[in-house]
Amino acid sequence: MNEKGGFNISDNERLSQLLSPPLNSTYSQSSEMQTRWLTLLFKSCRVMGSIAAAREWLDAPKYVLNNEKPIDLAQSDEGFEEVCQLLGRIEHGVFS
């Protein structure tokens, strides 16, 4: 942030990079998929504590998801629901 409370150009560029969907994914192909990406990112950010931690979590295979990466699995409707349910369980301390 600058002294006036606004963001510098470099801050805006960094934020844009953090919020951008991963390359070679379907998340940038339609507004519906972009909304799905941002929903997934913000839910995981709330649970993991930061955008960087959320992106790292989304990009790592999870045993509970049959060793698939949440970011890949969530590109389908069913996978998105499964990843959101997993995030909800983590958030509420339900480990099953």
Side-chain angles (χ1 to χ4, degrees):
M1 291 184 102
N2 62 28
E3 62 278 353
K4 295 180 182 179
F7 287 97
N8 298 319
I9 296 297
S10 60
D11 293 336
N12 288 337
E13 289 173 359
R14 179 70 180 134
L15 184 59
S16 177
Q17 290 172 348
L18 287 170
L19 296 177
S20 295
L23 297 174
N24 302 322
S25 73
T26 61
Y27 291 113
S28 59
Q29 293 180 356
S30 69
S31 60
E32 180 182 342
M33 290 303 290
Q34 290 171 353
T35 300
R36 178 179 291 185
W37 162 248
L38 289 175
T39 301
L40 185 63
L41 182 62
F42 286 118
K43 283 180 184 242
S44 57
C45 183
R46 185 179 65 228
V47 174
M48 299 303 149
S50 71
I51 294 174
R55 288 192 75 124
E56 186 176 316
W57 184 86
L58 288 166
D59 200 38
K62 304 291 178 256
Y63 176 78
V64 71
L65 300 175
N66 295 319
N67 291 317
E68 289 193 56
K69 295 178 181 180
I71 202 165
D72 295 336
L73 187 61
Q75 292 183 63
S76 72
D77 292 341
E78 298 82 18
F80 178 74
E81 290 302 319
E82 190 173 351
V83 171
C84 287
Q85 287 175 1
L86 176 58
L87 285 166
R89 290 195 313 262
I90 294 169
E91 184 175 27
H92 297 289
V94 178
F95 301 101
S96 56

